[in-house]
Amino acid sequence: MYNTELPSRAALPSATKLLRSTAIAFLVAAALLVTTVLPAEYGIDPTGWGRILGLTQMGEIKVAIATEAVVDKDAPASSTSPQLPQTSTSSKAPAVMQSNTAPEAAPATQQHTMTVQLKPGQGAEIKLTMNKGAQARYEWAASGGPVNYDTHGDPVNAPKGFYHGYGKGRGAEGDSGTLQAAFDGAHGWFWRNRSKSEITITLKTRGDYEQIKRVL
């Protein structure tokens, strides 16, 4: 048997100190929830700090993508999207996708022009199927007003909550650059019309991708 001296009552923290420590921990957790977690995950920013830190925009895009994915999944099989990609009129470009549900496979190096129309509050997403390291030059422009956009990629069998961004913005009228795939999968653009008028997005792509498809 070992004799262990029990701590004296004076050495133990008082109930007041325990309550104070618990209250401080609760306040810190609540502050992190309000200023960081809610803006970044759900786009809810009651304090305004989330928008200053750039977290609210990310949360709004996440919520928009998740909402539109659920709506698209639950839509009846017989329904069709009101807006279809338009065929490029340029004689130098190959034929553009004619259907949202039946993408056309094409050679590795190719060129397309796609056009989508967004009503107020509507979103749209176009993706390129690319292998890791493949590159595609792109240029898109918004006619009729600015839009919010998010350029991102999704790997095959992406885990829940996965997000890989290449760039995003709010109130933009266009963007251009080179999209290099970070992994095998789908890579592209999501746009949202937050204005009160109809907006037309024209996307031009050229590069090493397998197919192009409007997924939303």
Side-chain angles (χ1 to χ4, degrees):
M1 299 290 294
Y2 293 94
N3 293 325
T4 303
E5 294 184 2
L6 296 175
S8 64
R9 183 177 296 275
L12 295 174
S14 65
T16 302
K17 290 183 178 180
L18 289 175
L19 289 175
R20 182 186 304 166
S21 299
T22 302
I24 292 174
F26 176 79
L27 291 175
V28 171
L32 290 174
L33 176 67
V34 173
T35 62
T36 304
V37 178
L38 289 179
E41 296 297 328
Y42 306 102
I44 301 174
D45 187 15
T47 65
W49 277 102
R51 191 167 301 279
I52 294 176
L53 298 174
L55 300 175
T56 304
Q57 296 89 329
M58 179 173 64
E60 290 175 345
I61 292 174
K62 285 184 178 180
V63 172
I65 293 175
T67 301
E68 302 252 353
V70 171
V71 172
D72 185 65
K73 180 179 178 181
D74 294 339
S78 60
S79 65
T80 57
S81 174
Q83 301 297 334
L84 297 177
Q86 299 178 359
T87 304
S88 172
T89 58
S90 173
S91 59
K92 298 181 180 180
V96 182
M97 303 303 305
Q98 297 295 322
S99 171
N100 291 342
T101 58
E104 175 186 329
T109 301
Q110 53 184 315
Q111 176 177 323
H112 288 88
T113 297
M114 295 184 70
T115 303
V116 294
Q117 293 178 330
L118 302 179
K119 296 179 180 180
Q122 186 180 8
E125 188 170 11
I126 295 177
K127 289 290 184 63
L128 306 175
T129 301
M130 305 173 69
N131 294 323
K132 181 178 180 180
Q135 295 185 356
R137 290 284 303 172
Y138 70 90
E139 178 183 358
W140 65 263
S143 176
V147 293
N148 298 345
Y149 73 93
D150 178 18
T151 309
H152 60 281
D154 300 314
V156 179
N157 298 322
K160 183 178 180 180
F162 179 89
Y163 177 82
H164 181 86
Y166 295 106
K168 56 186 176 182
R170 297 173 63 86
E173 295 183 351
D175 188 37
S176 63
T178 300
L179 180 62
Q180 181 171 352
F183 41 76
D184 295 350
H187 310 263
W189 305 264
F190 172 82
W191 299 276
R192 171 75 70 179
N193 179 8
R194 292 297 187 186
S195 70
K196 296 182 179 180
S197 59
E198 186 173 285
I199 294 176
T200 299
I201 302 291
T202 302
L203 170 67
K204 298 180 180 180
T205 58
R206 179 183 180 88
D208 301 329
Y209 51 89
E210 296 178 4
Q211 63 182 13
I212 184 171
K213 178 183 179 182
R214 179 176 176 180
V215 297
L216 181 64

